[in-house]
Amino acid sequence: MRNPKPSLPFGDPTKPHLLVLGSGWASMSLLNQIDTRHWNVTVVSPRNYFLFTPLLPSCTVGTLELRSIMCPIRFITGHKKRSVKFVEADVVDIDPQSRHITVKSRQESLELIDKATDASLPYDYLVVGVGAQNATFGIPGVGEHANFLKEIWHAKRIREKVMDCFETASFPGLHPNEVDRLLHFIVVGGGPTGIEYAAELRDFVEEDLVKWFPDVAKRVKITLIEAAPNVLASFDSSLQLYTEKHFQRENIVVRTSTAVREVKEREVIVLEKSKRVVEETHAIPYGILVWATGNGPRPLTSKLAQKLPHELQNQKRGLVVDDHLRVKGTDRIFAIGDCAATPYAATAQVATQQGGYLGRLLSKYGKEVENVVGCGKSVRDACEEVDRNSQEKGFAYTHRGSLAYIGTDRAIADLPGNARLAGFATFLFWRSFYLSSLFTLRNKSLVMFDWTKKILFGRDIARE
């Protein structure tokens, strides 16, 4: 892995240029599948690594270290048959008419030496895989006071704030009410991310912090808030009930049918529905509030959709695509992953399958373009001819099941064939599945080392 073999040079004028935006699940799956011998591929992303998001909640409490679930993009692109160019930048505009994108550099050194920080990149085919951002649903105060859990810096910030709350709560002479506020951790969102973060936090408190903060750890309270009647809406009802009962045994308060109305600096305003009272408003003080509910389109996605006919792009969730993942109202622009509005859930599993499908599709396109160019036509004319004559099968998603960690070495699995699993054996399956899904041997080794280190030495409680 450290010594990639020599590859064909980038920039062959007889090959079409493919631009891939993003470095998430969908884009990396595409790069793994595509045959770059038939393409000049450029990847543009604001971060130069792939993040294994299912294990991100473990990083918020030190079960795993952040770099263990990060894989540099060049570790993947460096092993392709033809060199793949990577540009670390923000994409600020897409022009489907001229087939150009505008990128803005993220390198501070360029600004310091007064170099141009904007550039235009042409493409023959464009793949938009920029993902999504956290949806705030227009609720006041979420953006200012809530902590999201989607990126590396989110996990790092949460980890620092958890320790800050414990150290502050241990300060002599602090009022008991303030101690209770600091040690009340609220998670908004009953999906897999919210459930797993609450579970990891509970493990951290019971396995480590009670030893080092014996005077205050017993006052910790964890509350999970979910607007729907049940948590884990995508799982079978038996697993939903199992999770709620398990959380109850572990003293994690689950408040379903409760909607957040406002997030303030030190308290959250919720609207609770029950059988006895139709609506009841409560103000709940907190030390940390983690927002893990829903996705919304990124500004780039919305900006591109606004340039296209409204009757074709009428979904707020993202870019509407056809069966071949081509953005409706465009030619040679595809959308994959969370930025695409499809009938499927916004999960890593869907994004991975979409990226794999499109990688195989574009590999065939590349071969066909190469054959047409060999007959004396230009790359541009060859791309148009291949587009007109393409008759490939559309994308079909195959659900392979859902997994979630629920704490105390317990996990749940909702698998095809009506297989519902829960308990310690399922936890081992959960770990082995994610371990095998990591992209490189390096990441697998680091994750196994972190799990072993946690068993032997416990989690690190340093704040920085």
Side-chain angles (χ1 to χ4, degrees):
M1 186 181 69
R2 295 174 58 190
N3 299 282
K5 296 179 181 179
S7 56
L8 297 169
F10 174 89
D12 188 334
T14 66
K15 304 294 186 290
H17 187 197
L18 173 67
L19 270 180
V20 180
L21 309 185
S23 56
W25 284 94
S27 298
M28 292 301 100
S29 179
L30 181 149
L31 287 172
N32 273 334
Q33 287 292 331
I34 194 168
D35 188 347
T36 55
R37 291 176 298 177
H38 311 295
W39 293 92
N40 295 308
V41 180
T42 299
V43 180
V44 182
S45 175
R47 64 185 192 193
N48 72 343
Y49 58 87
F50 164 78
L51 176 63
F52 194 85
T53 50
L55 293 178
L56 191 59
S58 297
C59 296
T60 62
V61 297
T63 304
L64 296 177
E65 295 302 325
L66 295 172
R67 290 197 174 273
S68 298
I69 62 169
M70 298 164 63
C71 179
I73 294 174
R74 288 179 171 86
F75 284 12
I76 299 171
T77 60
H79 294 270
K80 303 302 290 183
K81 297 294 185 181
R82 183 181 299 279
S83 295
V84 176
K85 186 177 181 181
F86 173 73
V87 179
E88 187 180 64
D90 290 309
V91 181
V92 295
D93 190 38
I94 298 173
D95 188 345
Q97 300 300 323
S98 65
R99 295 197 179 97
H100 278 75
I101 68 169
T102 303
V103 299
K104 184 177 181 62
S105 172
R106 295 175 63 85
Q107 309 300 329
E108 295 181 0
S109 56
L110 281 178
E111 299 176 4
L112 292 174
I113 59 178
D114 296 326
K115 293 285 186 179
T117 58
D118 287 2
S120 178
L121 299 177
Y123 66 85
D124 293 304
Y125 287 83
L126 176 68
V127 177
V128 183
V130 296
Q133 62 185 11
N134 292 98
T136 63
F137 306 104
I139 298 173
V142 174
E144 294 81 3
H145 306 301
N147 296 276
F148 302 119
L149 186 51
K150 207 170 184 66
E151 303 288 353
I152 280 291
W153 50 90
H154 293 155
K156 184 178 180 181
R157 182 185 180 192
I158 291 171
R159 186 171 176 176
E160 291 175 354
K161 294 187 82 171
V162 167
M163 294 315 306
D164 185 54
C165 283
F166 273 88
E167 295 293 356
T168 305
S170 302
F171 191 79
L174 204 62
H175 195 281
N177 290 343
E178 182 64 7
V179 173
D180 290 338
R181 180 192 71 79
L182 286 166
L183 298 179
H184 188 193
F185 303 102
I186 293 180
V187 184
V188 180
T193 301
I195 291 292
E196 292 188 339
Y197 171 68
E200 291 281 1
L201 180 60
R202 180 265 164 208
D203 288 352
F204 187 31
V205 172
E206 295 298 323
E207 296 175 6
D208 296 275
L209 295 180
V210 291
K211 303 172 185 177
W212 311 116
F213 297 87
D215 296 332
V216 298
K218 59 186 178 182
R219 305 181 71 162
V220 169
K221 182 178 180 182
I222 303 172
T223 299
L224 182 84
I225 297 175
E226 169 57 45
N230 300 99
V231 299
L232 297 171
S234 61
F235 285 71
D236 184 76
S237 58
S238 62
L239 296 178
Q240 295 174 358
L241 183 61
Y242 179 90
T243 301
E244 291 179 7
K245 287 185 176 180
H246 178 77
F247 272 20
Q248 186 178 9
R249 289 194 298 270
E250 301 302 327
N251 296 318
I252 299 176
V253 178
V254 178
R255 301 181 65 158
T256 54
S257 301
T258 303
V260 174
R261 286 291 175 259
E262 184 180 0
V263 178
K264 298 182 179 180
E265 185 178 4
R266 297 190 172 196
E267 64 180 13
V268 57
I269 309 300
V270 300
L271 194 64
E272 189 173 12
K273 298 180 181 180
S274 66
K275 295 180 180 178
R276 293 177 298 175
V277 181
V278 177
E279 291 184 348
E280 187 174 354
T281 303
H282 300 278
I284 308 174
Y286 68 86
I288 297 176
L289 186 145
V290 174
W291 191 267
T293 173
N295 290 325
R298 295 192 184 277
L300 177 69
T301 305
S302 301
K303 190 174 182 179
L304 176 59
Q306 291 170 3
K307 294 183 178 182
L308 305 175
H310 178 70
E311 60 272 15
L312 298 177
Q313 296 295 330
N314 52 10
Q315 296 289 327
K316 293 183 179 180
R317 174 181 163 185
L319 296 167
V320 181
V321 297
D322 62 16
D323 292 341
H324 296 86
L325 304 178
R326 185 180 286 105
V327 177
K328 291 186 176 181
T330 71
D331 57 352
R332 304 192 215 160
I333 298 181
F334 298 86
I336 52 178
D338 293 354
C339 67
T342 65
Y344 314 112
T347 64
Q349 187 177 165
V350 172
T352 299
Q353 292 188 34
Q354 288 178 339
Y357 163 82
L358 190 56
R360 293 186 292 272
L361 178 66
L362 290 176
S363 294
K364 293 181 179 179
Y365 275 20
K367 292 179 182 179
E368 293 171 3
V369 169
E370 193 174 67
N371 292 334
V372 176
V373 171
C375 296
K377 291 192 177 182
S378 67
V379 171
R380 179 176 180 179
D381 292 339
C383 290
E384 292 178 355
E385 182 175 329
V386 169
D387 278 344
R388 287 194 304 267
N389 300 329
S390 175
Q391 307 205 346
E392 300 294 331
K393 292 182 179 179
F395 170 73
Y397 170 65
T398 302
H399 184 62
R400 299 194 176 102
S402 302
L403 297 168
Y405 177 64
I406 59 173
T408 59
D409 294 344
R410 299 290 184 273
I412 58 173
D414 194 343
L415 304 177
N418 295 321
R420 319 286 185 238
L421 306 176
F424 178 71
T426 310
F427 163 71
L428 297 178
F429 172 67
W430 173 83
R431 276 199 166 180
S432 62
F433 176 79
Y434 282 141
L435 190 65
S436 65
S437 300
L438 289 162
F439 273 1
T440 67
L441 177 62
R442 169 184 173 272
N443 290 111
K444 294 174 184 178
S445 302
L446 289 173
V447 167
M448 285 192 294
F449 176 77
D450 287 344
W451 282 336
T452 305
K453 183 179 66 174
K454 190 269 292 184
I455 295 173
L456 295 176
F457 305 110
R459 299 171 179 85
D460 191 344
I461 63 170
R463 188 163 69 89
E464 295 299 333

